[in-house]
Amino acid sequence: MPQTDTVTSTPTLEALFNHVTIRNFTKEDISPSVITTLLNAARRSPTSSNMQAYSLVVVRDQEKKAKLAELAGDQRHVAECPVFIAVCADVYRLKKAAEMHGKTLAQNTENTMIATIDAALVGMSLSTAAESIGLGAVMIGSMRNDPELAGKLLGLPKGVYVVYGLCLGWPDEDLRPAQKPRLPEELVIHYEHYSTEDPTPLLKQHDADLAIHYNKLGRNLHQSAWTGVMADKFSTPKRPWLRAVLEKMGFSFE
């Protein structure tokens, strides 16, 4: 393919540039064939050493979605979306593969990271593929509120946990949210080496931009709309029990 100095817009680029989190869906279902196509497209995602250390659990059952919604802190969109996908890290198959050859899977932090990263990559590909055909999506990290219960609801074997959930549905365009400002590119894109220039001025600018966004939505947060929220939210450890639970579920951090 000849190289050019310009990039022609594609459905994938449009999906990425136009991304917003969708929490309000129409009542229209998503056909099984569409879901299958999206899942198989996502399965072409990169995977470390061809391990493919992930699994995707498709949930349509309304009762099960309602239980998952409760687990996620009563997030109604988990129950209301037509299709919920549990994006899972999975070392169960790797254990079986090793056993087939009389060996034992050497589990450690690296394998746990690989499985989690593999799951994140395939889930992101699935989200982008869905948005490229007009679907909306929202990722549900609070599936990690109770990994054991989530695993029980989904019948997960030892060696599998839900990294996050993904709600899919056709967006209610009347309730489509405005795009939220992202951090300035100067803070997140570095060339040749990481820039250690004081980020405070750009962080303050982002605080102001985000405050304007939230004020338009009627959410009158303090002016430190990003730094203040991050400081408040992450000044104490989140889910400090998670490591012990995941080790119980068959993962290692050694």
Side-chain angles (χ1 to χ4, degrees), residues 89-126:
D90 186 342
V91 297
Y92 173 75
R93 286 189 302 268
L94 297 174
K95 292 179 182 178
K96 293 299 182 182
E99 290 170 3
M100 287 171 63
H101 298 274
K103 297 183 179 181
T104 301
L105 179 66
Q107 288 187 264
N108 60 3
T109 300
E110 175 69 2
N111 284 352
T112 297
M113 287 186 65
I114 286 173
T116 302
I117 292 168
D118 269 12
L121 290 172
V122 76
M124 187 66 233
S125 292
L126 176 58

Side-chain angles (χ1 to χ4, degrees), residues 41-92:
R43 289 199 308 115
R44 302 309 306 178
S45 300
T47 171
S48 181
S49 299
N50 199 30
M51 289 168 69
Q52 301 173 74
Y54 62 82
S55 283
L56 302 163
V57 182
V58 181
V59 181
R60 290 181 177 271
D61 180 78
Q62 190 57 48
E63 182 178 351
K64 187 169 291 185
K65 284 190 297 174
K67 290 179 180 177
L68 291 168
E70 182 179 353
L71 172 63
D74 295 318
Q75 295 189 55
R76 58 173 179 76
H77 32 277
V78 176
E80 294 174 358
C81 69
V83 177
F84 179 85
I85 311 290
V87 181
C88 304
D90 186 342
V91 297
Y92 173 75

Side-chain angles (χ1 to χ4, degrees), residues 10 26 30 36 38 46 72 83 87 93 108 112 116 118 135 140 147 152 171 185 189 202 204-205 231:
T10 68
T26 69
I30 309 173
T36 299
L38 295 175
V83 177
V87 181
R93 286 189 302 268
N108 60 3
T112 297
T116 302
D118 269 12
L135 286 166
I140 310 296
K152 182 178 180 180
E185 67 177 79
I189 301 176
L202 287 173
K204 287 183 177 179
Q205 181 58 56

